[in-house]
Coordinates of all heavy atoms in Angstrom, one line a residue:
Q100 N -35.0 13.8 -32.3 CA -34.6 14.6 -31.1 C -33.2 14.5 -30.7 O -32.7 15.2 -29.8 CB -35.5 14.4 -30.0 CG -37.0 14.7 -30.1 CD -37.9 14.3 -29.0 OE1 -37.4 14.2 -27.8 NE2 -39.2 14.1 -29.2
R101 N -32.5 13.8 -31.4 CA -31.0 13.4 -31.1 C -30.2 14.6 -31.4 O -30.3 15.3 -32.4 CB -30.6 12.2 -31.7 CG -31.2 10.9 -31.2 CD -30.8 9.7 -31.9 NE -31.3 8.5 -31.3 CZ -31.1 7.3 -31.8 NH1 -30.3 7.0 -32.8 NH2 -31.7 6.3 -31.2
S102 N -29.1 14.9 -30.5 CA -28.2 16.0 -30.7 C -26.8 15.6 -30.1 O -26.7 14.8 -29.3 CB -28.7 17.2 -30.0 OG -27.8 18.2 -29.8
L103 N -25.8 16.2 -30.7 CA -24.5 16.0 -30.3 C -24.0 17.0 -29.2 O -22.8 16.9 -28.7 CB -23.5 16.1 -31.5 CG -23.7 15.0 -32.5 CD1 -22.7 15.3 -33.7 CD2 -23.3 13.6 -31.9
A104 N -24.8 17.9 -28.8 CA -24.5 19.0 -28.0 C -23.8 18.5 -26.6 O -22.7 19.1 -26.2 CB -25.5 19.9 -27.7
A105 N -24.3 17.5 -26.1 CA -23.8 17.0 -24.7 C -22.4 16.5 -24.9 O -21.5 16.6 -24.0 CB -24.7 16.0 -24.1
F106 N -22.1 15.8 -26.1 CA -20.8 15.2 -26.3 C -19.7 16.2 -26.6 O -18.6 16.1 -26.1 CB -20.9 14.1 -27.5 CG -22.0 13.1 -27.2 CD1 -23.3 13.4 -27.8 CD2 -21.8 12.0 -26.4 CE1 -24.3 12.4 -27.6 CE2 -22.7 11.0 -26.2 CZ -24.0 11.3 -26.9
V107 N -20.2 17.3 -27.3 CA -19.2 18.3 -27.6 C -18.7 19.0 -26.3 O -17.7 19.4 -26.1 CB -19.8 19.3 -28.6 CG1 -18.9 20.6 -28.8 CG2 -20.1 18.6 -30.0
E108 N -19.8 19.3 -25.5 CA -19.5 20.0 -24.3 C -18.5 19.2 -23.3 O -17.7 19.6 -22.7 CB -20.8 20.3 -23.5 CG -20.7 21.1 -22.1 CD -19.8 22.4 -22.3 OE1 -19.9 23.0 -23.4 OE2 -19.3 22.8 -21.2
A109 N -18.9 17.8 -23.2 CA -18.1 17.0 -22.4 C -16.7 16.9 -22.9 O -15.8 16.9 -22.1 CB -18.7 15.5 -22.4
R110 N -16.5 16.8 -24.2 CA -15.1 16.8 -24.7 C -14.3 18.1 -24.4 O -13.1 18.1 -24.1 CB -15.1 16.3 -26.2 CG -13.7 16.4 -26.8 CD -13.7 15.9 -28.3 NE -14.6 16.6 -29.0 CZ -14.2 17.9 -29.6 NH1 -13.1 18.4 -29.4 NH2 -15.1 18.5 -30.3
R111 N -15.0 19.2 -24.6 CA -14.4 20.5 -24.4 C -14.0 20.7 -22.9 O -13.0 21.1 -22.6 CB -15.5 21.6 -24.9 CG -15.5 21.7 -26.3 CD -16.6 22.8 -26.7 NE -16.7 22.9 -28.1 CZ -17.6 23.7 -28.7 NH1 -18.5 24.4 -28.0 NH2 -17.7 23.8 -30.0
K112 N -14.9 20.3 -22.1 CA -14.6 20.4 -20.6 C -13.4 19.5 -20.2 O -12.5 19.9 -19.5 CB -15.7 19.9 -19.8 CG -17.0 20.9 -19.8 CD -18.1 20.4 -19.0 CE -17.9 20.3 -17.6 NZ -19.0 19.9 -16.8
D113 N -13.3 18.3 -20.9 CA -12.2 17.5 -20.6 C -10.9 17.9 -21.1 O -9.9 17.8 -20.6 CB -12.5 16.0 -21.0 CG -11.7 15.0 -20.4 OD1 -11.4 15.0 -19.2 OD2 -11.2 14.0 -21.0
K114 N -11.0 18.6 -22.3 CA -9.8 19.1 -22.8 C -9.3 20.4 -22.0 O -8.1 20.4 -21.8 CB -10.2 19.7 -24.3 CG -8.9 20.2 -25.1 CD -9.3 20.5 -26.5 CE -8.2 20.9 -27.3 NZ -8.5 21.4 -28.7
R115 N -10.3 21.1 -21.4 CA -9.7 22.2 -20.5 C -9.2 21.5 -19.2 O -8.1 22.0 -18.8 CB -11.0 23.1 -20.2 CG -11.5 23.9 -21.3 CD -12.4 25.0 -20.7 NE -13.6 24.5 -20.1 CZ -14.8 24.2 -20.8 NH1 -14.8 24.5 -22.1 NH2 -15.9 23.8 -20.2
I116 N -9.7 20.4 -18.7 CA -9.2 19.9 -17.5 C -7.8 19.3 -17.9 O -6.8 19.4 -17.1 CB -10.1 18.7 -17.1 CG1 -11.4 19.2 -16.5 CG2 -9.4 17.9 -16.0 CD1 -12.5 18.2 -16.3
T117 N -7.6 18.7 -19.0 CA -6.4 18.0 -19.4 C -5.3 19.1 -19.5 O -4.1 18.9 -19.2 CB -6.4 17.3 -20.7 OG1 -7.4 16.3 -20.6 CG2 -5.2 16.6 -21.1
K118 N -5.6 20.3 -20.1 CA -4.7 21.4 -20.4 C -4.4 21.9 -19.0 O -3.1 22.2 -18.8 CB -5.4 22.5 -21.1 CG -4.5 23.7 -21.5 CD -5.3 24.7 -22.3 CE -4.4 25.9 -22.7 NZ -4.2 26.7 -21.5
E119 N -5.2 22.0 -18.1 CA -5.0 22.6 -16.7 C -4.0 21.7 -16.0 O -3.2 22.1 -15.3 CB -6.2 22.8 -15.9 CG -6.0 23.5 -14.5 CD -7.3 23.8 -13.9 OE1 -8.3 23.6 -14.4 OE2 -7.2 24.3 -12.7
L120 N -4.4 20.3 -16.2 CA -3.5 19.4 -15.5 C -2.0 19.4 -16.0 O -1.0 19.4 -15.3 CB -4.1 18.0 -15.8 CG -3.1 16.8 -15.2 CD1 -3.1 16.8 -13.8 CD2 -3.9 15.4 -15.7
T121 N -1.9 19.5 -17.3 CA -0.6 19.6 -17.9 C 0.2 20.8 -17.4 O 1.4 20.7 -17.0 CB -0.7 19.6 -19.4 OG1 -1.3 18.5 -19.9 CG2 0.7 19.7 -20.1
E122 N -0.4 21.8 -17.4 CA 0.2 23.3 -16.9 C 0.6 23.0 -15.4 O 1.6 23.4 -14.9 CB -0.8 24.3 -16.9 CG -1.0 24.7 -18.4 CD -2.0 25.8 -18.5 OE1 -2.8 26.1 -17.6 OE2 -2.2 26.2 -19.7
H123 N -0.3 22.4 -14.5 CA 0.0 22.1 -13.1 C 1.3 21.2 -13.0 O 2.1 21.4 -12.2 CB -1.2 21.5 -12.6 CG -1.0 21.4 -11.0 ND1 -0.8 22.4 -10.1 CD2 -1.1 20.3 -10.2 CE1 -0.7 21.9 -8.9 NE2 -0.9 20.6 -8.9
L124 N 1.3 20.1 -13.7 CA 2.5 19.3 -13.7 C 3.8 19.9 -14.1 O 4.9 19.6 -13.6 CB 2.3 18.1 -14.6 CG 1.1 17.0 -14.1 CD1 0.9 16.0 -15.3 CD2 1.4 16.4 -12.9
L125 N 3.7 20.8 -15.1 CA 4.9 21.5 -15.5 C 5.4 22.4 -14.3 O 6.6 22.6 -14.2 CB 4.7 22.3 -16.7 CG 4.5 21.6 -18.1 CD1 4.0 22.4 -19.1 CD2 5.7 20.8 -18.4
K126 N 4.5 23.0 -13.5 CA 4.9 23.9 -12.5 C 5.3 23.2 -11.3 O 6.2 23.6 -10.5 CB 3.8 24.8 -12.2 CG 3.4 25.7 -13.3 CD 2.2 26.6 -12.9 CE 1.7 27.5 -14.0 NZ 0.5 28.2 -13.7
S127 N 4.7 21.9 -10.9 CA 5.0 21.4 -9.7 C 5.4 20.0 -9.5 O 5.9 19.6 -8.5 CB 3.6 21.5 -8.7 OG 2.6 20.7 -9.4
F128 N 5.3 19.3 -10.6 CA 5.6 17.9 -10.6 C 7.0 17.6 -11.2 O 7.3 17.8 -12.3 CB 4.6 17.0 -11.4 CG 4.7 15.5 -10.9 CD1 4.8 15.1 -9.7 CD2 4.8 14.6 -12.0 CE1 4.9 13.8 -9.4 CE2 4.9 13.3 -11.7 CZ 4.9 12.8 -10.4
V129 N 8.1 17.2 -10.5 CA 9.4 17.2 -10.9 C 10.0 15.9 -11.1 O 11.2 15.8 -11.5 CB 10.4 18.1 -9.9 CG1 9.9 19.6 -9.9 CG2 10.3 17.4 -8.5
T130 N 9.3 14.9 -10.8 CA 9.8 13.5 -11.0 C 9.6 13.0 -12.4 O 8.4 12.8 -12.7 CB 9.3 12.5 -10.0 OG1 9.5 13.0 -8.6 CG2 10.0 11.2 -10.2
P131 N 10.5 13.1 -13.3 CA 10.1 12.9 -14.8 C 9.3 11.4 -15.0 O 8.3 11.5 -15.7 CB 11.5 12.7 -15.5 CG 12.4 13.5 -14.6 CD 11.9 13.2 -13.3
L132 N 9.7 10.4 -14.5 CA 9.0 9.1 -14.7 C 7.6 9.1 -14.2 O 6.7 8.8 -14.9 CB 9.7 8.0 -14.0 CG 9.1 6.5 -14.1 CD1 9.1 6.2 -15.5 CD2 9.9 5.5 -13.3
E133 N 7.4 9.7 -13.0 CA 6.0 9.7 -12.5 C 5.2 10.7 -13.4 O 4.0 10.5 -13.6 CB 6.0 10.3 -11.1 CG 6.8 9.4 -10.2 CD 6.3 8.0 -9.9 OE1 5.1 7.8 -10.3 OE2 7.1 7.1 -9.6
R134 N 5.8 11.8 -13.9 CA 5.1 12.8 -14.7 C 4.7 12.1 -16.0 O 3.6 12.4 -16.5 CB 6.1 13.9 -15.1 CG 5.3 15.0 -15.8 CD 6.2 16.2 -16.1 NE 7.4 15.8 -16.9 CZ 8.5 16.5 -16.9 NH1 8.6 17.7 -16.2 NH2 9.5 16.1 -17.7
E135 N 5.5 11.2 -16.6 CA 5.1 10.6 -17.8 C 3.9 9.7 -17.5 O 3.0 9.5 -18.4 CB 6.3 9.8 -18.3 CG 7.4 10.6 -18.8 CD 8.8 9.8 -19.2 OE1 8.7 8.7 -19.0 OE2 9.7 10.5 -19.4
D136 N 3.9 9.0 -16.5 CA 2.7 8.2 -16.1 C 1.5 8.9 -16.0 O 0.4 8.4 -16.5 CB 3.1 7.4 -14.8 CG 4.0 6.2 -14.9 OD1 4.2 5.9 -16.0 OD2 4.6 5.9 -13.8
I137 N 1.6 10.0 -15.3 CA 0.4 10.9 -15.1 C -0.1 11.4 -16.4 O -1.3 11.7 -16.7 CB 0.5 11.9 -14.1 CG1 1.0 11.3 -12.7 CG2 -0.8 12.8 -13.9 CD1 0.2 10.2 -12.2

Side-chain angles (χ1 to χ4, degrees):
Q100 298 177 20
R101 292 177 176 179
S102 168
L103 293 174
F106 304 99
V107 174
E108 180 60 22
R110 181 174 55 79
R111 286 176 178 171
K112 286 176 67 176
D113 199 37
K114 187 174 183 178
R115 290 195 295 268
I116 292 167
T117 302
K118 182 176 182 292
E119 186 176 355
L120 173 63
T121 300
E122 292 173 351
H123 184 59
L124 290 176
L125 288 173
K126 292 177 182 178
S127 61
F128 194 50
V129 296
T130 309
L132 180 61
E133 304 297 340
R134 182 179 61 198
E135 291 171 2
D136 286 342
I137 303 309

